[in-house]
Amino acid sequence: MSTSSSHTPQSGYAHKDVSALENTLNTALGVLCPVFLAALGLVGGIVTGFSVSWLSWLWLTGAAGQALAALTVVLLLVAVFLACRVAGWAVGSVVGGASLALGWVLASLALIAPSGSGDVLMTSTPVNYVFLYGGVLAAVLGTLMNTQPQMKKSVAPPRT
């Protein structure tokens, strides 16, 4: 049977190894988190862009369809705004919201880009214009509001 003193390190090398590993993991998270959030914004923008294309059909059905389409677009824009705010809050800096917003804006550009086959992903209905331009505006506003001083500064409490 061994005693507990035989398992304790004789010097501070174990503490230095843990600190080095912690620094490496923090650096990796600092690099990968914005990349992941940008990819999430890109995928979210593409998926919702395809979904909103159905709203342009709904827009053409009459007043009730236009009201439902407008309400749906407003709810999507609120979701984009809140997603950028939450991403910035979770990361603890404006980089989180900006990364998500960058992915969203790239998705919006991809949806309106001309294609060689002549296909149109977003038709020229008011609901699609509101979605495209309003989505960019909501992403930018959500990101800019992350610069407020009451944002969370750190995830972990300071070490003593």
Side-chain angles (χ1 to χ4, degrees):
M1 201 166 236
S2 64
T3 62
S4 64
S5 64
S6 65
H7 292 297
T8 58
Q10 299 300 324
S11 63
Y13 291 120
H15 178 68
K16 290 179 183 176
D17 288 343
V18 169
S19 178
L21 178 63
E22 185 177 305
N23 288 340
T24 303
L25 288 175
N26 284 338
T27 302
L29 283 175
V31 170
L32 292 177
C33 187
V35 171
F36 173 75
L37 287 171
L40 186 65
L42 181 70
V43 169
I46 296 283
V47 168
T48 55
F50 284 130
S51 301
V52 166
S53 65
W54 281 96
L55 294 179
S56 62
W57 170 80
L58 189 61
W59 186 264
L60 300 174
T61 61
Q66 289 176 354
L68 185 59
L71 177 66
T72 304
V73 166
V74 168
L75 291 175
L76 284 172
L77 296 180
V78 168
V80 170
F81 174 80
L82 290 176
C84 289
R85 289 281 290 158
V86 167
W89 173 81
V91 171
S93 75
V94 73
V95 173
S99 299
L100 192 72
L102 175 68
W104 183 268
V105 169
L106 289 176
S108 296
L109 291 175
L111 289 171
I112 61 173
S115 65
S117 62
D119 293 338
V120 176
L121 293 177
M122 302 294 279
T123 59
S124 61
T125 57
V127 72
N128 285 339
Y129 287 130
V130 169
F131 171 75
L132 287 172
Y133 299 122
V136 171
L137 182 66
V140 168
L141 287 177
T143 300
L144 291 177
M145 290 191 68
N146 283 330
T147 60
Q148 294 178 351
Q150 69 262 21
M151 278 190 60
K152 175 178 73 168
K153 298 290 183 208
S154 173
V155 176
R159 293 167 57 164
T160 55

